[in-house]
Amino acid sequence: MVTRISGERGVEIEGLSVWYGKKPALEGVTLHANRGEILGVIGPASAGKTTLLKCINRTLDFVPGARWEGSVRVEGLDVRSVSDAALRRKVGMVFPLPVGLPLSVYDNVAFAPRMAGIRRKAVLDDLVERCLRQAALWDEVKDRLGMLGSRLSGGQQQRLTIARALSHEPEILCLDEFSIAVDPVTTMRIEDVLVELKADVTIILVTNLVQQARRLADRVAFLNAGRLVELDATGAIFGERPREKMTFDYVRGRFG
Amino acid sequence: MFTETPLVRRKLSIEAATKLAFGAMAASMIVPLVLIVGYLVAKALPVLSWEFVSAFPRSNMKAGGILPAIAGTFYMVAISLAVATPIGVLAAVYLNEYARDNWFTRVVNLAVVNLAGVPSIVHALFGVGAFVFVTGKPCILAASLTLAIMTLPVIIASTKQALAAVPMAFREACWNVGASRWQTIRHIVLPNSLSGILTGVILQVSRAAGETAPILFTGAVFFRRELPASVLDQSMALSMHLFSIATQGGQVPETVQYGTAVVLLGLVLAVNLTAICLRIYFRSRKKW
Ligand SMILES: Nc1ncnc2c1ncn2[C@@H]1O[C@H](COP(=O)(O)OP(=O)(O)OP(=O)(O)O)[C@@H](O)[C@H]1O
Ligand SMILES: [Mg+2]
């Protein structure tokens, strides 16, 4: 194992526990994601994968009755010490259900930069085009940027959501089952983009498709019932002898 | 091939019968409106003229027009909404967008609900105690403020409802990209709830114009020769005027009473029609 210094760590999570009301959703999870890598997160339903992401940009605050303990650091900063807006501009977040804001395609992508104070049309135009290209959506919408985002197809809206998550030039990008509403060909194109992006952005990829984690991730974390079962290089997790038998069973679809 | 079994046929006839019954009930709502409007207009026809809405009353209100009453109603409604709308909308934005679910919020919500249920005559007594006490004598301002207190809780409730109709997912999508609460409200929530907010406010116009009790002791007078010169003057008002001439025991000709009623009803219907048009306009631009 290479030991890394903490400056290279995009996200560091230590002893993270989360409760929804009295019910624990995560218990003492410790893991980190390095810059320049894709960290895959896999695990069965209700393992706490989405909950983990919600702690990184503190959207857990929106859930009434939710409470968390432990430490979450983004780019070396404790997420509790920065403002919501600053934190969320650092962290791009793509949740499984696409949300097209009731704005035009262009305005959907330009929304975050505008809120951050960018007004110049030329700058916005460039940014919108770059983000839509990265989300593999540009060719389909370049002639109708004025159309309502919510009139796009489900898969297009999902890519619009990805473009929006990239629009504030985040240093961390979290994706939660992004391919759930996207066709296989487009999924492949977005996957290629993720591989390109990882040079600049720390990527955390939550997925129910273990093969997607296998294709893309450098390291993979396996969560089950709120606990981190195993975190290792992708090769080891999908290899003949991961440390835990449970991991072996899960990645081969023989679980439970 | 699809064949109609007896069971399917029975289901279809029940379906048709229920639809007819419900439809008839809905259609029956038109009847009272048509009857009321038709009856009033027929009775009022002899007095309805330009003079009736643009002249002062003459010979003990038995002839002439009702201009001072129209003007008074206009002032009172305008001032009351100018006061109630900003307060109500801002309060509703706070309650729906910022407030956490704590005891303070619950107390405010409880106050809103209960205030909306207070009978208008009680509002009138409160107006006397609070506003007339301050202004020294009944006046347009006191009457308007009483109407504002009366319409406020309904404006808050309807605005909250309009805001709540904007899907939560939109707000979360905005917060996720680092927009502040106010930016989210300003750019996403308010533009998409404007039609509901406006409709709620406009419907309160007709309510404020129609109520008699709240202005009875606070600023409306039975008869006044001139138009009000300031908000500290008393003034006639349509609802009050109608109430007084109708209870005068036959001295004022029936046609004048019905004429006043038609003018009041016409104003209310015109305002409601505006609300409906606004709603249609905004719905055509609805974005999700
Ligand atoms: N808003 C909430 N209120 C209460 N409990 C919640 C809430 N969100 C999640 N939970 C609970 O927390 C646990 C973890 O949920 P989470 O959404 O993180 O799972 P997940 O790993 O993302 O599952 P999936 O693969 O199905 O998306 C579950 O038991 C779930 O019921
Ligand atoms: Mg999930």
Side-chain angles (χ1 to χ4, degrees):
Chain A
M1 266 292 283
V2 193
T3 50
R4 292 172 186 269
I5 57 165
S6 103
E8 288 186 349
R9 289 182 177 177
V11 178
E12 287 174 277
I13 294 172
E14 250 180 70
L16 176 66
S17 299
V18 178
W19 294 265
Y20 291 110
K22 291 220 157 46
K23 192 167 149 288
L26 284 178
E27 294 173 76
V29 170
T30 298
L31 55 79
H32 64 268
N34 297 317
R35 263 188 230 157
E37 78 167 3
I38 297 181
L39 176 71
V41 178
I42 60 173
S46 75
K49 308 182 293 292
T50 303
T51 304
L52 182 77
L53 295 190
K54 285 188 172 176
C55 293
I56 298 175
N57 76 345
R58 274 203 349 227
T59 39
L60 193 70
D61 293 357
F62 305 153
V63 182
R67 192 165 63 79
W68 63 281
E69 262 173 24
S71 116
V72 177
R73 298 166 88 77
V74 166
E75 296 281 311
L77 283 173
D78 191 320
V79 295
R80 290 191 221 241
S81 69
V82 285
S83 75
D84 291 356
L87 174 66
R88 287 173 196 152
R89 271 199 288 274
K90 257 187 193 300
V91 181
M93 186 66 75
V94 178
F95 283 123
L97 290 180
V99 177
L101 289 174
L103 299 170
S104 71
V105 171
Y106 183 98
D107 291 340
N108 257 281
V109 184
F111 182 78
R114 278 186 180 138
M115 295 304 108
I118 300 177
R119 283 276 173 284
R120 297 245 326 269
K121 176 128 182 19
V123 179
L124 287 174
D125 284 351
D126 280 353
L127 200 84
V128 168
E129 177 171 347
R130 197 185 68 227
C131 295
L132 285 171
R133 278 190 193 284
Q134 285 178 333
L137 186 60
W138 175 253
D139 292 330
E140 286 161 61
V141 299
K142 62 170 184 263
D143 301 320
R144 38 184 187 151
L145 291 173
M147 195 180 84
L148 276 182
S150 45
R151 300 259 162 88
L152 295 173
S153 78
Q156 288 173 328
Q157 282 194 46
Q158 182 60 300
R159 282 175 282 157
L160 186 63
T161 312
I162 295 176
R164 204 170 53 221
L166 293 170
S167 69
H168 41 102
E169 306 185 304
E171 288 162 78
I172 319 287
L173 181 62
C174 301
L175 300 120
D176 192 356
E177 295 170 37
F178 76 89
S179 54
I180 217 164
V182 185
D183 68 281
V185 177
T186 313
T187 303
M188 288 301 172
R189 283 166 62 198
I190 299 174
E191 287 186 4
D192 291 344
V193 171
L194 294 183
V195 173
E196 263 171 53
L197 273 177
K198 78 173 180 181
D200 312 316
V201 182
T202 311
I203 299 180
I204 300 184
L205 176 73
V206 167
T207 178
N208 277 333
L209 309 169
V210 287
Q211 291 312 320
Q212 187 172 55
R214 187 177 196 167
R215 279 195 300 275
L216 296 176
D218 297 287
R219 292 184 308 137
V220 173
F222 174 48
L223 288 181
N224 182 38
R227 289 175 189 280
L228 179 69
V229 177
E230 187 168 355
L231 169 61
D232 212 334
T234 307
I237 293 280
F238 288 91
E240 279 312 308
R241 37 182 74 259
R243 237 173 300 139
E244 302 287 332
K245 167 137 184 0
M246 202 193 260
T247 314
F248 185 85
D249 289 345
Y250 182 73
V251 299
R252 277 164 184 73
R254 277 187 250 131
F255 187 78
Chain B
M1 223 187 82
F2 178 78
T3 49
E4 283 190 2
T5 63
L7 181 65
V8 169
R9 228 174 291 131
R10 219 182 102 223
K11 264 197 195 156
L12 287 177
S13 59
I14 291 177
E15 179 72 29
T18 32
K19 191 173 155 195
L20 188 72
F22 290 143
M25 292 305 142
S28 71
M29 288 313 301
I30 302 172
V31 177
L33 181 67
V34 170
L35 284 182
I36 290 174
V37 174
Y39 179 75
L40 289 180
V41 171
K43 287 276 201 177
L45 220 45
V47 292
L48 288 183
S49 66
W50 177 244
E51 193 206 353
F52 189 65
V53 294
S54 65
F56 287 86
R58 273 183 287 112
S59 43
N60 246 338
M61 295 191 287
K62 294 193 186 88
I66 54 168
L67 179 65
I70 297 177
T73 291
F74 175 81
Y75 290 136
M76 287 176 193
V77 171
I79 295 172
S80 71
L81 284 172
V83 173
T85 307
I87 298 178
V89 171
L90 294 187
V93 168
Y94 175 78
L95 289 174
N96 201 63
E97 303 295 320
Y98 288 97
R100 293 181 175 269
D101 185 22
N102 53 25
W103 69 266
F104 173 71
T105 313
R106 262 173 262 153
V107 167
V108 174
N109 279 323
L110 204 67
V112 170
V113 170
N114 281 302
L115 206 53
V118 171
S120 53
I121 187 71
V122 179
H123 281 296
L125 294 178
F126 171 74
V128 171
F131 304 127
V132 176
F133 179 74
V134 173
T135 55
K137 64 178 177 31
C139 62
I140 292 179
L141 187 63
S144 304
L145 292 178
T146 310
L147 288 175
I149 296 282
M150 183 187 78
T151 50
L152 194 56
V154 187
I155 290 179
I156 293 179
S158 65
T159 304
K160 262 175 67 183
Q161 208 172 17
L163 295 171
V166 176
M168 201 57 201
F170 290 168
R171 297 182 182 83
E172 290 182 356
C174 294
W175 297 335
N176 270 334
V177 296
S180 68
R181 279 195 183 242
W182 168 242
Q183 287 175 325
T184 305
I185 294 168
R186 162 81 184 71
H187 295 279
I188 300 293
V189 179
L190 282 182
N192 286 289
S193 54
L194 204 57
S195 71
I197 296 175
L198 284 180
T199 321
V201 170
I202 289 174
L203 288 179
Q204 288 312 298
V205 171
S206 44
R207 186 154 161 257
E211 286 280 358
T212 315
I215 58 174
L216 193 56
F217 318 120
T218 52
V221 283
F222 173 56
F223 177 68
R224 197 158 192 269
R225 270 223 59 84
E226 65 268 27
L227 293 178
S230 86
V231 293
L232 293 177
D233 278 351
Q234 287 184 305
S235 167
M236 294 174 70
L238 279 174
S239 55
M240 170 78 177
H241 185 61
L242 184 57
F243 171 73
S244 45
I245 58 178
T247 50
Q248 265 206 338
Q251 290 179 18
V252 177
E254 242 194 2
T255 49
V256 175
Q257 300 175 19
Y258 283 105
T260 308
V262 165
V263 171
L264 181 56
L265 195 67
L267 285 179
V268 168
L269 290 183
V271 165
N272 287 0
L273 208 63
T274 319
I276 292 169
C277 292
L278 266 178
R279 215 196 325 233
I280 291 172
Y281 169 71
F282 279 112
R283 194 180 292 156
S284 70
R285 302 194 334 168
K286 190 146 177 158
K287 293 178 182 150
W288 73 87

